[in-house]
Amino acid sequence: MPAEVWARIRHRGRNSLGLPDAHGIPDLVPVARMRPGAVGRHNPRNAILANPVHDAHGEISALTVIDTNHPSLFDHALDHVPGMLQFEAARQIAMAAANASLGLDTNRMVMHQLEIAFEDFGEFELETIARAVAEPDPKEDGAVIAVIRITQGDKAIASGRVHLRVMPVDIWTMVQ
């Protein structure tokens, strides 16, 4: 996309939110990141969700930590929350929901399908919240479908479904 077109699109979007043309990268503030194992990760830096809340309707929500120094989620400079970070937030919140709502072991879960629609730009300056509700997949034993939304304020910037499978113990021990 030509730079002038990109600048016009970003200018229009940021102005509609009351943000200045130039994006700002906020400093990382201390948060209570979720345990890596709770979101299917081993390295604490790769657990990108924090301050989880589980409501009475079965939805779990958590702040998405936007660490622009993360070596793989931010492998180049960007002026918005990247899709790669939103993919990972969707996967992690789906796993957290499957664990919190259904009691499933995240150490044995794998994402086998992701359906996601990017609805708007995610801005660095706005709080990014990942949300999910997980239900057993009626078509497949040991599988889960989580309906996810990534939001900033009242607006969804991405939404979709994450399909998870729980690996049988005997198969899982062979791949670790």
Side-chain angles (χ1 to χ4, degrees):
M1 177 179 301
E4 310 80 48
V5 174
W6 181 261
R8 233 181 1 258
I9 290 169
R10 295 296 288 131
H11 171 79
R12 190 176 320 129
R14 289 181 61 78
N15 283 344
S16 74
L17 297 169
L19 297 172
D21 285 347
H23 71 278
I25 299 173
D27 294 330
L28 278 178
V29 295
V31 292
R33 284 192 194 220
M34 294 180 73
R35 288 180 306 97
V39 292
R41 289 289 176 224
H42 297 287
N43 183 332
R45 187 165 187 200
N46 292 334
I48 63 166
L49 299 180
N51 306 335
V53 175
H54 195 251
D55 74 13
H57 305 291
E59 181 180 77
I60 188 167
S61 60
L63 175 69
T64 303
V65 176
I66 300 176
D67 178 2
T68 59
N69 292 313
H70 193 285
S72 57
L73 296 173
F74 286 88
D75 63 350
H76 63 282
L78 293 164
D79 68 350
H80 61 279
V81 177
M84 182 64 75
L85 182 77
Q86 294 179 59
F87 287 152
E88 184 60 13
R91 188 194 68 75
Q92 288 188 21
I93 199 68
M95 286 195 166
N99 177 262
S101 300
L102 305 172
L104 298 176
D105 182 359
T106 58
N107 291 312
R108 293 180 39 223
M109 275 190 266
V110 294
M111 180 175 71
H112 71 95
Q113 186 177 344
L114 170 65
E115 305 161 28
I116 196 164
F118 295 107
E119 300 169 30
D120 211 334
F121 282 97
E123 302 297 347
F124 289 138
E125 300 92 337
L126 303 177
E127 193 172 69
T128 303
I129 305 292
R131 304 172 184 282
V133 174
E135 299 287 338
D137 185 339
K139 297 178 185 173
E140 183 180 346
D141 282 344
V144 174
I145 299 174
V147 175
I148 64 94
R149 288 180 307 128
I150 311 292
T151 63
Q152 289 189 325
D154 293 334
K155 183 169 38 168
I157 60 171
S159 61
R161 297 173 4 140
V162 176
H163 299 256
L164 302 169
R165 286 189 180 140
V166 178
M167 303 297 291
V169 174
D170 58 338
I171 292 174
W172 189 248
T173 57
M174 288 190 280
V175 296
Q176 284 190 344

